Amino acid sequence: MIEILTNRLMIVPCSLDIAKSLVFHRKELEKRSPIEIPSYWPTSVVRGFIPYYIESMERMEKEEKDLDCGFWLIILYEQKKIIGDLLMKGKPEKEGEVELSYHIDGDNVDETIAYEAIDAFIDWLTYQQAVKKIIMECEVEHQQTIKLYNKLGFICKKKDGNFLTWEIQKKGE
C-alpha cells in the first residue's frame, strides 16, 4: 500500500473495504478502527463521491484496469485521527492533467496542515510520470485557499463566475 508521510501526516489511499464500511457499517468501523473517524468526516461532497468510488474500485478489480479516480485519507499521525481527504478526479488525461480537491477540518488543525498535505501529495503525484499538470479550484471569496494555492506555487488561470481555476505544472514541462 502506498503511504505518503510528512512530519505530522500520513496520507493513504482509501481502500475498498474502508469505503464500503463508511457507507454500510460506519458505527462498526468507528468501533474497530485504530484511527479516530470524526463525526464531521467525510464531508457531503465526499459522501456523494464514495458510491462512485466503490463502483470504480469493484470494476477495476474485475477488469484489472487502472482506477479512474483517487480518494485519499489525511491522517494526523500522532493523534491517529482522520482530519481530511484528497480527491483526484480521474486519472491523468493524455496531456497528463489531473484535477485535485481537498478538505481539511479547519477547526481542529492549524493552517499549515493543509499546505503540508497538499504539498506532499503534489510531490508524490509529480513523480508519477503520467502527471504533468495539476488543477485545483476554489471560490473567489475563499481568501485562505487563494493564499494557500499561491504559497504552493499554483497560478490562477481562469475565473468563471465565483470560481477560480488554479494550475501547477511539473517542473521542466
Side-chain angles (χ1 to χ4, degrees):
M1 177 169 89
I2 299 166
E3 290 180 350
I4 302 169
L5 300 173
T6 71
N7 291 336
R8 300 177 287 178
L9 304 173
M10 180 169 59
I11 304 166
V12 294
C14 183
S15 69
L16 179 58
D17 290 339
I18 298 279
K20 284 181 175 180
S21 293
L22 281 168
V23 173
F24 301 113
H25 309 289
R26 167 114 189 183
K27 293 207 184 306
E28 190 65 27
L29 177 64
E30 288 174 0
K31 279 188 223 171
R32 293 177 181 231
S33 176
I35 305 291
E36 180 185 342
I37 303 168
S39 60
Y40 61 80
W41 186 86
T43 63
S44 59
V45 171
V46 174
R47 279 195 305 271
F49 174 77
I50 290 175
Y52 171 77
Y53 183 72
I54 292 169
E55 183 181 309
S56 295
M57 292 273 291
E58 289 174 337
R59 189 175 58 246
M60 177 199 69
E61 286 181 348
K62 287 179 191 163
E63 299 172 8
E64 296 183 16
K65 290 185 177 179
D66 290 337
L67 188 62
D68 65 353
C69 57
F71 172 34
W72 296 69
L73 310 177
I74 302 170
I75 300 166
L76 198 53
Y77 192 73
E78 283 187 12
Q79 294 179 358
K80 295 192 179 350
K81 177 181 180 181
I82 294 174
I83 58 164
D85 49 72
L86 288 153
L87 292 177
M88 191 169 68
K89 302 170 188 173
K91 53 187 169 185
E93 298 173 356
K94 230 184 334 186
E95 302 82 31
E97 187 175 293
V98 168
E99 188 174 340
L100 188 64
S101 66
Y102 79 99
H103 175 266
I104 295 178
D105 178 43
D107 294 335
N108 295 313
V109 296
D110 68 68
E111 61 189 42
T112 63
I113 293 283
Y115 178 87
E116 189 174 326
I118 296 169
D119 188 51
F121 194 73
I122 287 172
D123 279 350
W124 179 81
L125 265 181
T126 56
Y127 282 111
Q128 310 304 306
Q129 290 184 359
V131 176
K132 293 177 176 40
K133 183 191 301 183
I134 299 166
I135 297 173
M136 296 184 83
E137 292 183 340
C138 72
E139 293 184 36
V140 174
E141 63 269 1
H142 289 167
Q143 292 303 310
Q144 202 169 10
T145 303
I146 291 169
K147 184 178 171 185
L148 171 65
Y149 289 173
N150 277 313
K151 188 176 177 184
L152 285 162
F154 279 80
I155 297 168
C156 187
K157 292 289 192 170
K158 184 171 102 179
K159 181 178 188 244
D160 186 8
N162 285 338
F163 288 93
L164 300 172
T165 302
W166 298 80
E167 293 180 5
I168 192 168
Q169 296 218 2
K170 189 173 184 175
K171 291 169 181 57
E173 296 295 323

